[in-house]
């Protein structure tokens, strides 16, 4: 049995046991049982993803598991990247959730849905057919929606955020469904190898329709402008460890879908596809960081930061597609490498930031920066964790985001002479976008850290804040260690 097969088998088995534990284990020990199961699922995902990146491909067909098409699982190097990312986030969240869930989130329903959400996310990049992909995608969407609703009894805003999310995520699902069904209809069956084989026979109009439809659905999941409206609403209202899973792991599934369909299943495409991706990414990056810079709700600020960072990722993906369409595979590889590395880096620092924000909310009951301040005295470990996350996300050396954004800038700058009118116009604007967002990100995180943690307390709750339980600190420590490793030793993952 290969490591990929063993890892995915363990993911499904432990996930199922965690759901059962959530339903049967007594309330006192339920968070530990479920949190441990989620962390173990994450470890298995990291092992499977790392093995796939090392060249251990794996595929299995289970025809009797679902009606009509059955289930097909296939893991390659691209899927391995996202398996490892989701798995690593799940490790930190699982450990953190042991303490956080005791804050009124240890009910059977929430605890049973959480491992289901993690397993669904780990299976999305392992899907090897349209039917399997859509089932895993919808399971991920429904599970995350239920988790967004977890605290609906505490705040009226939760129900509104969940409605926005439900509408946007299912409109996106419909777009993906139509696009992939159009492609599968031409292929005769829904397996990914069959789709690759027929892609070259599609007319330009049909291929363009498939790409635009799937791009619409995947961009919505990634929080890309103008389909981002759900993200700054849903992420702040979800429990903080769920926010970390959504913002650091789930949104990357949108990026995975764009890369999988655009580069792999359709085999690349004309320049206008990738110009569209690049423009959407640039608009999202600028809009997201501007909204984050003026925000005072700590978790909403981090949500808008996610839109900014997914925009930067799409700049890299779009640039890679442009270079590939022009035949410059070296620069295309550099741009796509920068994009995928930023997916990994963003997952690390956004996990840490959301977990630290959850620690603040746990201690003070508030996300409002204007009602915080002075937290460094009562919460030194959380202050250090948020400070590390802020540095990692600020695109300053030796921050985590600096490495991937520097690589992205290198691809863009070297592409200025790649030729073509569209490239000559777009590349300087993309360079300016990356530079602008990097500067505004520094200002945003300086504001959040300074006002929230270093100023004087501006409420009784902030003055009385005390440090979070050890398991929450341990979860933040895992995410923080990931940030440090990725910042100081990027060569461990870059090749």
């Amino acid at each position: 049995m290969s490591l990929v097969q063993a890892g995915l088998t363990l993911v499904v088995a432990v996930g199922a046991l965690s759901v059962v534990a959530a339903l049967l284990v007594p309330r006192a020990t339920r968070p530990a049982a479920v949190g441990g199961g989620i962390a173990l699922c994450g470890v298995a995902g990291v092992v499977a993803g790392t093995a796939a990146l090392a060249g251990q491909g794996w595929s299995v067909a289970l025809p009797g598991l679902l009606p009509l098409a059955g289930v097909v699982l296939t893991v390659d190097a691209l899927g391995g990247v996202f398996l490892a990312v989701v798995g690593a986030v799940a490790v930190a969240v699982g450990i953190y959730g042991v303490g956080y869930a005791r804050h009124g989130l240890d009910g059977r329903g929430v605890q049973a849905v959480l491992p289901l959400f993690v397993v669904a996310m780990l299976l999305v990049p392992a899907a090897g057919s349209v039917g399997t992909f859509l089932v895993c995608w919808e399971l991920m969407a429904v599970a995350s929606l239920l988790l967004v609703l977890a605290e609906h009894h505490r705040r009226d805003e939760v129900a509104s955020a969940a409605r926005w999310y439900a509408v946007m995520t299912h409109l996106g699902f419909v777009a993906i469904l139509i696009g992939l069904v159009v492609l599968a209809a031409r292929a005769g069956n829904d397996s990914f190898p069959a789709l690759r084989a027929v892609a070259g026979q599609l007319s330009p109009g049909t291929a363009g329709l498939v790409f635009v439809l799937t791009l619409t659905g995947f961009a919505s999941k990634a929080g890309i402008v103008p389909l981002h409206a759900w993200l700054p609403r849903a992420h702040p209202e979800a429990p903080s460890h769920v926010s970390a899973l959504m913002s650091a792991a789930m949104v990357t599934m949108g990026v995975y879908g764009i890369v999988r369909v655009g580069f792999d299943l359709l085999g690349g495409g004309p320049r206008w596809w990738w110009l569209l991706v690049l423009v959407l990414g640039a608009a999202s990056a600028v809009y997201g960081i501007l909204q984050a810079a003026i925000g005072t709700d700590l978790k909403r600020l981090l949500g808008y930061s996610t839109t900014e960072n997914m925009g930067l990722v799409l700049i890299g993906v779009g640039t890679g597609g442009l270079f590939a369409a022009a035949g410059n595979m070296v620069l295309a590889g550099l741009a796509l490498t920068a994009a995928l590395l930023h997916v990994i880096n963003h997952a690390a620092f956004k996990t840490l930031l959301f977990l630290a924000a959850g620690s603040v909310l746990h201690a003070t009951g508030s996300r409002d920066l204007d009602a915080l301040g002075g937290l460094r005295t009562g919460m030194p470990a959380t202050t250090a964790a948020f400070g590390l996350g802020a540095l990692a996300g600020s695109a300053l050396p030796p921050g985590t985001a600096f490495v991937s954004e520097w690589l992205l800038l290198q691809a863009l700058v070297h592409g200025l002479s790649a030729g073509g009118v569209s490239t000559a116009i777009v590349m300087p604007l993309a360079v300016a976008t990356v530079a602008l967002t990097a500067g505004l990100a520094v200002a945003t995180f300086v504001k959040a850290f300074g006002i929230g943690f270093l100023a004087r307390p501006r409420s009784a709750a902030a003055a009385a804040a005390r440090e979070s339980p050890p398991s929450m600190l341990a979860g933040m420590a895992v995410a923080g260690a990931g940030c440090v490793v990725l910042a100081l030793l990027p060569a461990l993952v870059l090749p």
Side-chain angles (χ1 to χ4, degrees):
M1 181 182 290
S2 69
L3 284 176
V4 177
Q5 181 181 359
L8 282 180
T9 302
L10 191 60
V11 164
V12 175
V14 173
L17 288 174
S18 299
V19 173
V20 172
L23 298 174
L24 300 181
V25 168
R27 194 183 194 100
T29 55
R30 192 179 299 145
V34 174
I38 290 171
L40 185 55
C41 279
V43 171
V46 171
V47 170
T50 305
L53 281 167
Q56 291 188 31
W58 177 73
S59 182
V60 65
L62 304 168
L65 206 55
L66 282 178
L68 301 179
V71 169
V72 179
L73 297 176
T74 302
V75 180
D76 58 9
L78 176 62
V81 173
F82 292 88
L83 270 172
V85 167
V86 175
V89 175
V91 172
V93 167
I95 297 170
Y96 181 93
V98 174
Y100 192 82
R102 300 186 191 281
H103 192 55
L105 292 168
D106 53 358
R108 286 188 176 90
V110 174
Q111 291 294 298
V113 173
L114 193 55
L116 192 64
F117 178 41
V118 172
V119 171
M121 280 195 293
L122 287 166
L123 290 179
V124 166
S129 68
V130 172
T132 306
F133 180 85
L134 292 175
V135 168
C136 295
W137 187 272
E138 182 64 1
L139 183 61
M140 173 183 73
V142 172
S144 59
L145 175 60
L146 293 174
L147 290 169
V148 169
L149 281 165
E151 297 182 300
H152 68 94
H153 57 285
R154 298 183 182 182
R155 300 183 303 278
D156 294 337
E157 297 88 348
V158 174
S160 174
R163 281 193 294 270
W164 272 95
Y165 179 46
V167 171
M168 295 296 291
T169 195
H170 284 95
L171 287 176
F173 176 78
V174 169
I176 296 168
L177 171 66
I178 296 173
L180 292 180
V181 165
V182 169
L183 182 56
R186 299 295 193 277
N189 70 71
D190 72 338
S191 70
F192 284 178
L195 303 188
R196 294 185 190 101
V198 80
Q201 304 169 22
L202 298 177
S203 67
T206 302
L209 176 65
V210 170
F211 182 76
V212 170
L213 284 170
T214 54
L215 173 63
T216 300
F218 292 133
S220 173
K221 183 61 69 179
I224 297 300
V225 172
L227 305 171
H228 68 291
W230 66 273
L231 193 151
R233 290 173 170 86
H235 285 207
E237 301 304 337
S240 294
H241 59 321
V242 175
S243 300
L245 281 171
M246 294 175 69
S247 206
M250 187 185 73
V251 295
T252 67
M253 295 297 100
V255 176
Y256 169 76
I258 294 170
V259 175
R260 175 64 76 191
V261 173
F263 283 102
D264 180 24
L265 301 184
L266 292 175
R271 289 191 176 207
W272 71 264
W273 290 11
W274 307 109
L275 280 171
L276 177 60
V277 172
L278 198 158
V279 169
L280 289 175
S284 300
V286 173
Y287 177 83
I289 198 60
L290 286 174
Q291 291 295 323
I294 62 175
T296 58
D297 182 314
L298 183 56
K299 288 180 68 177
R300 185 180 290 264
L301 179 154
L302 295 177
Y304 276 118
S305 168
T306 297
T307 291
E308 177 236 345
N309 281 281
M310 290 301 101
L312 291 174
V313 170
L314 286 204
I315 289 176
V317 172
T319 302
L322 271 178
F323 291 148
N328 192 331
M329 302 310 290
V330 173
L331 286 180
L334 177 61
L336 192 57
T337 296
L340 295 178
L341 182 62
H342 198 66
V343 166
I344 297 169
N345 290 343
H346 172 258
F349 70 74
K350 192 55 59 70
T351 300
L352 179 57
L353 287 169
F354 263 113
L355 297 186
S359 180
V360 171
L361 181 59
H362 177 272
T364 66
S366 177
R367 308 184 316 232
D368 185 2
L369 288 172
D370 293 333
L372 298 176
L375 298 178
R376 69 188 185 280
T377 302
M379 306 180 71
T382 298
T383 300
F386 193 91
L388 175 60
L391 174 62
S394 295
L396 291 175
T400 310
F402 170 76
V403 180
S404 47
E405 291 192 33
W406 178 254
L407 276 179
L408 178 58
L409 274 175
Q410 292 299 308
L412 294 170
V413 169
H414 284 85
L416 293 174
S417 59
V421 175
S422 58
T423 303
I425 295 172
V426 169
M427 290 304 154
L429 294 176
V431 170
T433 297
V434 176
L436 174 64
T437 56
L440 289 174
V442 174
T444 299
F445 285 119
V446 166
K447 177 197 77 171
F449 185 64
I451 294 176
F453 294 86
L454 301 183
R456 294 177 62 82
R458 289 180 294 281
S459 68
R466 292 296 177 265
E467 197 57 89
S468 295
S471 66
M472 293 173 63
L473 298 181
M476 288 187 279
V478 170
C483 290
V484 171
V485 170
L486 289 169
L488 300 182
L489 299 170
L492 289 179
V493 296
L494 191 55

